[in-house]
Amino acid sequence: MNPADMTLADWLDRVGELSGEIMPLPVREQMATFIQMLQAANRNINLTAIADDEGIAIRHILDSMTLLPLVDKLQAECPQPISLVDVGTGAGFPGMPLKLLRPACSVVLLDALAKRLRFLDTVIEQLRLDNIRTWHGRAEDAGREDGLRGRFDLAVARAVAPLNVLAEYGLPLVRTGGLFVAMKGRPESEWPLAARAVKILGGELEDIRQFTLPGTDMQRSLFCLRKVRTTPNAYPRKAGKAEKQPL
Ligand code: SAM
């Protein structure tokens, strides 16, 4: 089919084909509602630069879904439904598609920008989602807060900061034994710079999964960091420090 003639429903079919994920009808409907709410809200507030049906379906939804094998792998290691925090979620990526596709997970969508979280609160309410909430603030502050620090089985982040900075945002939130997955484009140069920070913060590089986003020529890398030790109390440092002076 000519992409110009494709409707949102066609693009969601395409996401299903490209991912190999069977999306049950109610989930598909929720996904479509989320996308339509995002497009409507984006006309008034800046939530995302990518707002056409194809862009949202492929570059936001399908891209977020590339984390599903890791979510499932971690879930297989845990007796309870896993807890997940999306650090710098923006308009809900990757956290919202992951919640819709794996509804048993408990999810925190964290961001420093309140207007994006207000939009996500309306989505949570409209779709009547359970076990998902937004948290407004800086990741560095979340990482020192009881109830968030060391509490998550899985932290994820896309397009938030370079890996050496991001490690200080994400690793403190993960429990020992859990995973922090940083979604990157083609960041071959990022690991050597981040290795020291990851070690200081109690992490270890488990894997770098590299692939092309299906149906596109976009390179993707998933940095999988396993938390092997408790993060020392000195970290995360006060808000802004990681960015100005990465470990
Ligand atoms: N993850 C989303 C995506 O891939 O579409 C949003 C990416 S957007 C480029 C980066 C987001 O990270 C912004 O919404 C910003 O407010 C948030 N952010 C950046 N630094 C942060 C920090 N230290 N703590 C919390 N949120 C942060």
Side-chain angles (χ1 to χ4, degrees), residues 48-76:
T48 172
I50 301 165
D52 60 301
D53 291 350
E54 175 181 2
I56 295 186
I58 304 297
R59 293 170 66 181
H60 281 330
I61 306 287
L62 181 66
D63 196 35
S64 300
M65 288 169 70
T66 61
L67 288 178
L68 285 172
L70 287 162
V71 173
D72 293 342
K73 179 180 159 217
L74 197 64
Q75 184 60 75

Side-chain angles (χ1 to χ4, degrees), residues 7-181:
T7 62
L8 179 56
D10 296 326
W11 281 113
L12 287 177
D13 286 344
R14 184 103 180 99
V15 166
E17 287 158 24
L18 291 170
S19 65
E21 174 81 18
I22 296 160
M23 237 189 260
L25 191 59
V27 173
R28 219 185 113 97
E29 284 171 1
Q30 287 182 320
M31 203 69 88
T33 303
F34 168 47
I35 294 172
Q36 285 158 347
M37 289 178 76
L38 175 57
Q39 289 171 324
N42 206 48
R43 286 182 204 115
N44 300 318
I45 42 172
N46 174 22
L47 294 169
T48 172
I50 301 165
D52 60 301
D53 291 350
E54 175 181 2
I56 295 186
I58 304 297
R59 293 170 66 181
H60 281 330
I61 306 287
L62 181 66
D63 196 35
S64 300
M65 288 169 70
T66 61
L67 288 178
L68 285 172
L70 287 162
V71 173
D72 293 342
K73 179 180 159 217
L74 197 64
Q75 184 60 75
E77 294 171 14
C78 299
Q80 307 293 333
I82 61 168
S83 55
L84 181 160
V85 58
D86 182 6
V87 178
T89 189
F93 302 105
M96 185 59 84
L98 295 179
K99 173 65 184 175
L100 297 182
L101 286 155
R102 297 293 182 269
C105 291
S106 73
V107 172
V108 173
L109 303 172
L110 181 157
D111 205 283
L113 261 192
K115 67 176 179 178
R116 297 191 169 144
L117 297 182
R118 278 196 293 272
F119 160 70
L120 290 169
D121 285 332
T122 64
V123 175
I124 291 167
E125 201 183 311
Q126 171 88 23
L127 299 181
R128 297 169 195 265
L129 301 176
D130 293 328
N131 288 328
I132 179 167
R133 67 184 169 106
T134 57
W135 193 88
H136 175 223
R138 303 262 319 191
E140 303 95 304
D141 294 326
R144 285 195 302 272
E145 188 155 312
D146 284 349
L148 294 171
R149 181 181 172 90
R151 289 303 177 104
F152 295 90
D153 298 306
L154 176 63
V156 295
R158 186 183 81 156
V160 175
L163 194 58
N164 55 348
V165 177
L166 196 55
E168 195 166 342
Y169 295 173
L171 278 169
L173 295 166
V174 176
R175 66 160 170 86
T176 304
L179 264 189
F180 175 37
V181 183

Side-chain angles (χ1 to χ4, degrees), residues 231-243:
T231 299
N233 283 338
Y235 306 103
R237 293 165 293 168
K238 70 178 188 332
K241 186 91 175 170
E243 202 176 354

